[in-house]
Amino acid sequence: MTREENSAAQANGTAHFDAVIVGAGFAGMYMLHRLRALGLSVRVFETGDGVGGTWYWNRYPGARCDVESLEYQYGFSDDIQREWNWTERYAAQPEILRYQNYVADKLNLRKDIQFSTRVTSADYDARSGEWTVETDRGDRVQTRFCIMATGCLSAARVPDFPGVEDFDGETYHTGAWPHEGVDFTGKRVGVIGTGSSGVQSIPIIAEQAKHLTVFQRTANFTLPAGNRPLSKEEITASKETLLTDRQHARETAGGLICFEYNEALAEEMTPEAREKELRERWTQGGFAFLGSYGDIMATKEANDIAADFARAQMRSVIKDPAIVDILLPDDHPVGVKRLCLDTHYLETFNLPHVDIVDVRANPIERITKSGIVSGGREYEVDVIVFATGFDAMTGAILGVDITGRDGMKLRDKWAAGPRTYLGLGSAGFPNLFFITGPGSPSVLSNMIVSIEQHVDWITDCLSRLTSGNVRSIEATPDAEDEWVAHVNELASETLYPQANSWYMGANIPGKPRVFMPYTGGVNVYGEKLAEVAAADYEGFRLDA
Ligand code: NA7
């Protein structure tokens, strides 16, 4: 926009920025920091009244990251990593949110963030090459670059149960938890959902509730988190190596260095060696288990060995054989739905005041004034907790009405599933970027590593555009088609598509079944990003 156009826009009440960022979680915060350093004018819009994204909203009891805290932190700043001390192997939500607020203070980020504001639409005007962004607060701003830092698990979703509005008691969703907390003391509680949020919150809710009924649709593999306080020695040692560790993490498939993948194939190992590997990794806790041998996610036979081992461990904790039958997963390979890290989850079902209802066998029919009906029986409760997950990966992006070139709606373009080039951009939507978008490693990796990878790439790209007199960048349809096909092909070589997971959009009735993340690994993906940039953004069209 020329100076004259900018003045005219301001006279019309339309502010202009070089870049608008949607969302102030880990991605939006770092993106803002990098773009300000480039000298760009930036405005961040954030729905919450504080920074944090996922960690701002998910305040349910027991909320904790399933990636170790020493790896789940920014790696771009030596100062930040030296000043901040984590206390536990896996950080709890309040500690992560404190960290994000500390970073926001340190980098003075808030002055460019408009809180309590939801972006409602973004429209591209090909003539001016500008996006017009509107919000639910009546803002209307123009920007050259629009960056969706909206997160992969941020559109919380309550299933469309008939009668849900008739319920007389309290209802909560784990992903939009009240800031003042919830006291379950003396109450009959129903929790619907047994993904990570259910698995983390159920043991703590059970400590307070008079009675707890858990409604489970899919039995999940849970394995011990092995959480513990971090020692002073571990913290000190991590500070010496964090920046090199982060580089090292980018060279791994998962963006993690807390464990290594065993490359030997299951059939190349003796049964004793496999058992030893599985047991050690199970005891270590966390996702190391999935690295027990090289083909665990590739063949059913190899996966079955690990799944049987996991079921045996789980079975040993549960006392009642009838509950074993409900809690043990048997309809999907281990690891193809997100593994849930367990802290006293399975033991909770040994308590006399905790019941589990199999809603796969008896689906929830309706919610009444006083409870939940499944299998023709009403379970009376005072409180319902929906731990029912998110419209993952695309929900928050498509929650904004995005219109690109020639009036094309992103919602229409993605009606049969998301289409991106590299998970970063989509043909027909110039200068629009997604951070950790569908088609990138995102949720299959350490999110902070993937966020930094994308933010660094976008920053270099914008630097190239603004200094090189390039007005716009846009994925070409051919490059996008090839990338979508490549992502699908890689996924089809794994066991991932064999489960009804949110990775596949399968948790939302009517959502297209497409495996959304890139399974090739952060390392391979990073090489591709670097090649594309080195070839002057090959696969993108640059217009002067
Ligand atoms: P998830 O993992 O999507 O879990 C949601 C749970 O809710 C899961 O058990 C679902 O069963 C269940 N669900 C969803 N809809 C229904 C209906 N209609 N009836 C019964 N049960 C239902 O979300 P979380 O918040 O736990 O975790 C999200 C991610 O955050 C997690 O993977 C980590 O990466 C961190 P389903 O399995 O679909 O049969």
Side-chain angles (χ1 to χ4, degrees):
M1 187 180 254
T2 64
R3 189 179 298 237
E4 292 71 31
E5 283 169 330
N6 201 6
S7 311
Q10 280 177 7
N12 285 336
T14 312
H16 180 265
F17 299 94
D18 295 320
V20 161
I21 298 169
V22 186
F26 272 111
M29 290 167 64
Y30 180 43
M31 191 80 249
L32 169 61
H33 174 62
R34 291 298 313 269
L35 293 189
R36 274 199 325 210
L38 274 190
L40 302 188
S41 62
V42 188
R43 166 62 51 90
V44 180
F45 292 110
E46 164 57 52
T47 307
D49 62 11
V51 296
T54 289
W55 303 104
Y56 172 92
W57 296 104
N58 284 268
R59 301 181 188 222
Y60 60 84
R64 194 178 283 285
C65 188
D66 55 11
V67 172
E68 300 195 19
S69 55
L70 294 177
E71 302 214 52
Y72 194 79
Q73 61 177 324
Y74 286 126
F76 68 84
S77 160
D78 203 24
D79 266 6
I80 289 174
Q81 62 110 2
R82 281 185 192 286
E83 282 176 24
W84 185 263
N85 293 316
W86 296 100
T87 62
E88 293 180 275
R89 180 177 175 195
Y90 298 97
Q93 174 273 332
E95 188 171 29
I96 301 174
L97 190 58
R98 276 200 301 281
Y99 170 77
Q100 292 174 302
N101 276 286
Y102 148 77
V103 173
D105 289 340
K106 182 162 180 78
L107 303 179
N108 194 15
L109 296 178
R110 288 191 190 79
K111 70 184 173 69
D112 293 311
I113 306 176
Q114 183 173 323
F115 292 106
S116 309
T117 307
R118 177 181 289 280
V119 170
T120 51
S121 66
D123 276 276
Y124 183 70
D125 175 11
R127 203 176 38 84
S128 65
E130 297 281 320
W131 285 90
T132 300
V133 172
E134 293 186 328
T135 77
D136 63 354
R137 296 263 301 261
D139 305 283
R140 182 181 162 85
V141 305
Q142 292 198 316
T143 180
R144 186 168 162 203
F145 303 109
C146 184
I147 301 167
M148 303 299 285
T150 38
C152 293
L153 293 162
S154 40
R157 179 184 161 270
V158 172
D160 203 6
F161 296 120
V164 71
E165 61 293 337
D166 299 336
F167 183 62
D168 273 347
E170 305 154 54
T171 59
Y172 304 99
H173 191 289
T174 48
W177 202 256
H179 291 194
E180 62 281 11
V182 179
D183 183 5
F184 295 101
T185 309
K187 294 191 172 146
R188 297 166 303 169
V189 184
V191 176
I192 304 177
T194 53
S196 292
S197 304
V199 166
Q200 290 183 336
S201 60
I202 283 165
I204 298 171
I205 295 173
E207 283 172 15
Q208 294 176 8
K210 184 165 89 181
H211 191 92
L212 172 62
T213 310
V214 174
F215 295 84
Q216 174 195 274
R217 184 164 68 183
T218 305
N220 271 327
F221 286 96
T222 69
L223 77 170
N227 190 34
R228 55 176 174 74
L230 287 173
S231 69
K232 278 207 178 99
E233 293 70 33
E234 282 173 292
I235 295 167
T236 309
S238 77
K239 289 180 192 294
E240 297 313 313
T241 57
L242 187 125
L243 297 186
T244 46
D245 285 351
R246 182 47 52 97
Q247 184 49 40
H248 185 178
R250 286 187 181 203
E251 291 158 11
T252 68
L256 290 168
I257 57 164
C258 60
F259 69 89
E260 288 191 5
Y261 289 88
N262 176 12
E263 286 181 8
L265 303 181
E267 64 178 18
E268 294 168 351
M269 301 164 75
T270 63
E272 296 73 28
R274 273 194 314 247
E275 168 85 13
K276 181 168 177 290
E277 195 78 30
L278 288 164
R279 188 166 300 284
E280 281 176 5
R281 287 168 184 265
W282 185 270
T283 311
Q284 182 183 342
F287 295 119
F289 183 71
L290 292 180
S292 295
Y293 39 84
D295 47 353
I296 207 165
M297 301 302 288
T299 74
K300 172 95 171 54
E301 296 70 28
N303 189 281
D304 279 348
I305 298 168
D308 285 344
F309 179 91
R311 277 188 286 264
Q313 304 306 308
M314 292 172 70
R315 184 181 288 111
S316 69
V317 182
I318 311 161
K319 292 192 178 139
D320 180 344
I323 293 185
V324 168
D325 284 347
I326 299 177
L327 274 177
L328 285 201
D330 63 2
D331 69 348
H332 60 277
V334 62
V336 299
K337 280 170 90 89
R338 179 88 170 197
L339 281 182
C340 299
L341 301 196
D342 172 342
T343 303
H344 307 308
Y345 174 67
L346 296 174
E347 292 97 310
T348 299
F349 294 93
N350 295 333
L351 298 171
H353 69 296
V354 178
D355 292 331
I356 183 158
V357 177
D358 178 357
V359 298
R360 167 87 63 216
N362 297 300
I364 294 173
E365 292 156 32
R366 63 182 186 282
I367 311 275
T368 62
K369 275 163 76 77
S370 49
I372 299 167
V373 179
S374 147
R377 172 173 168 197
E378 181 177 46
Y379 297 83
E380 289 198 355
V381 292
D382 306 307
V383 185
I384 301 177
V385 173
F386 293 103
T388 44
F390 302 87
D391 184 353
M393 305 202 69
T394 54
I397 295 172
L398 297 181
V400 177
D401 184 14
I402 299 176
T403 311
R405 212 180 263 294
D406 305 323
M408 186 199 303
K409 298 271 184 198
L410 192 64
R411 274 178 205 155
D412 294 337
K413 180 175 172 187
W414 286 10
R419 299 189 66 76
T420 70
Y421 177 41
L422 303 171
L424 275 164
S426 197
F429 297 83
N431 291 350
L432 177 75
F433 297 90
F434 313 111
I435 300 179
T436 63
S440 73
S442 63
V443 291
L444 297 183
S445 67
N446 176 355
M447 283 299 286
I448 311 269
V449 167
S450 286
I451 283 169
E452 291 187 332
Q453 196 177 43
H454 268 182
V455 168
D456 292 345
W457 190 93
I458 293 169
T459 305
D460 290 347
C461 174
L462 267 50
S463 170
R464 155 81 180 90
L465 302 187
T466 49
S467 62
N469 225 6
V470 177
R471 197 175 167 92
S472 75
I473 182 167
E474 178 183 346
T476 67
D478 286 349
E480 181 174 290
D481 288 348
E482 271 179 42
W483 186 252
V484 170
H486 177 59
V487 170
N488 285 336
E489 190 188 326
L490 286 184
S492 71
E493 290 165 6
T494 71
L495 297 174
Y496 279 111
Q498 292 194 13
N500 291 323
S501 66
W502 55 257
Y503 298 141
M504 292 283 292
N507 61 325
I508 311 272
K511 188 165 173 173
R513 301 278 173 115
V514 176
F515 192 81
M516 293 183 280
Y518 169 81
T519 53
V522 170
N523 44 0
V524 176
Y525 177 79
E527 284 164 19
K528 173 73 180 171
L529 286 188
E531 279 166 23
V532 166
D536 206 21
Y537 298 93
E538 187 177 28
F540 290 94
R541 200 178 85 203
L542 274 50
D543 286 332

